[in-house]
Amino acid sequence: MSVSTVASAQSVCAPLPVLGRDVTVPLVTGGEVTYAALDYAASAPALQRVWDDVAAYAPYYGSVHRGAGYLSQLSTDLFENARRTVAEFLDCRPDDQLVFTRSTTDSLNLLARALPAGCQVFVFETEHHASLLPWQDARVSYLDAPRTPGQAVRTLERALAERDPHGPALVCVTGASNVTGELWPVRELAAVAHAHGARIVLDAAQLAPHHPVSVRDLDVDWIAFSGHKLYAPFGSGVLAGRADWLRAAEPYLAGGGASRRVTRREDGGVAVEWHESAARHEAGSPNVIGAYAIAAACKALTEAGFETLVARERHLIAKVREGLAEVPEVRVLSLFGDDAPRVGVLSFVVEGWNSSHFAAALSAEYGIGVRDGLFCAHPLVRTLLGSDPGTQGECGAPEAAPGEKSLNAIRVSFGAGTPDEHVERFVTAVRELVADGAKWSYRTEDGRCVPAV
């Protein structure tokens, strides 16, 4: 079956069921409507199956590791089986370590703490703050935003060619932009990094929920992602990859679980022998339910089939892009151009509107939830918007300083739980707001644009 045939078939099929799919919200103009959650890039709704799996386990909840009781042993098996399930989902190498963390941000900060002395880090300015900011204590080279995938590879090639070839180096790159949704040439960037003796970590927060991710196929050294982007509840994340830097580093957190043996020294202090396994960086009682939820999401996505999910998402992307293209006042933001492959994430600005005002109207008048602002990727959005973000509307943006013309955009994002009706309603709402204006008046309150009462 061709991709186009799969897309056509999937366009009429129900998506993977998610929590909140039947929630209704009030409209300022009167009545209620089923909420259209189109902010997946921030947090995807949990899959119903994931929630059901967690609920089934909840009565058997127990402390993991070293507990003698049945529930403790059951929870320990579940926790470690979750680790193996996620490693299989990522196609990790046999000797890779997989550490459960709180989020992508937590994962990359953990890796930043594990960098060898003198390590130089190379990161594009286009990264989400989670992968842009953790390297402050290292020697960081920030690379300018490329305008094509090929330029990204060449920019990294030049930067690595000029570095000290004898010291350790790390490249950090996103798999899919949280602003434009565009896919990055990860495999090619990994090849360049390794050719110059550097390692590479992949921020897969936006990639893993939409595409299959293979550590071995992409040839990355580490991968980081968050459960709440992958249709699992909040509070869990993953860092998986090479074990040597993680084993050599001091534990990310000091405490029980990370320590193998603790003794008193003659001088009155304590001597600690730390674990060399993933436990070294998982001090304290771990988030067992979070780990189990991620594993359940990995299983659900794998069983649904990424070929089918990707094809259906392309169908939704085409609907959104074609609809926005019919509105001349809308400008979709892009680094690599209109034809660049992408996941279900698009950002845009509307001529004559402040983006916060437009997003507020989508919510209050149509029951559609999108995101507005700079999306925790300030350098990238400012690069894409330049110095002319369009005419300021009635409301300001939360990022705008007093007296500053606001620079902000609107982001719509969707995925495996999005029905066709939600994107169709979104396109219709954009067309109506641009043509007719908002039906309600709005004001700025605590930096947010809200309906005036």
Side-chain angles (χ1 to χ4, degrees), residues 172-194:
C172 181
V173 67
T174 190
S177 171
N178 78 301
V179 176
T180 66
E182 293 165 315
L183 299 176
W184 277 62
V186 177
R187 188 179 293 103
E188 292 82 357
L189 292 169
V192 168
H194 293 150

Side-chain angles (χ1 to χ4, degrees), residues 31 44 49-50 80 84 86 89 95 105 123 133 141 164 166 193 216 235-236 241 267 284 301-302 347 391 408 412:
R49 170 176 166 177
V50 172
E80 294 303 333
R84 286 187 283 273
V86 179
F89 178 78
D95 55 350
T105 302
V123 56
L133 302 180
S141 294
D164 178 359
H166 302 293
R216 283 189 268 202
S236 55
D267 63 4
L301 291 171
T302 300
S347 295
T391 304
N408 62 334
V412 57

Side-chain angles (χ1 to χ4, degrees), residues 251-278:
Y252 185 46
L253 297 172
S259 56
R260 184 200 304 269
R261 184 168 180 265
V262 180
T263 58
R264 289 295 299 273
R265 296 195 309 255
E266 291 183 1
D267 63 4
V270 294
V272 185
E273 179 184 347
W274 303 107
H275 280 294
E276 292 190 355
S277 65

Side-chain angles (χ1 to χ4, degrees), residues 97 99 110 114 222 239 242-249 280-281:
Q97 273 191 3
V99 181
L110 189 165
W222 291 278
L239 176 67
R242 305 288 182 191
D244 54 349
W245 285 11
L246 299 177
R247 287 176 180 156
R280 184 184 190 91
H281 299 291

Side-chain angles (χ1 to χ4, degrees), residues 124-127 143-149 151-153 172-178 180-189 202 207 218 335-336 341-342 380:
F124 286 94
E125 68 171 354
T126 46
E127 294 292 307
L143 309 179
D144 292 339
R147 284 302 188 173
T148 65
Q151 187 181 14
V153 175
C172 181
V173 67
T174 190
S177 171
N178 78 301
T180 66
E182 293 165 315
L183 299 176
W184 277 62
V186 177
R187 188 179 293 103
E188 292 82 357
L189 292 169
L202 171 64
L207 182 63
L218 294 174
L335 269 177
F336 300 154
R342 69 183 67 223
L380 170 57

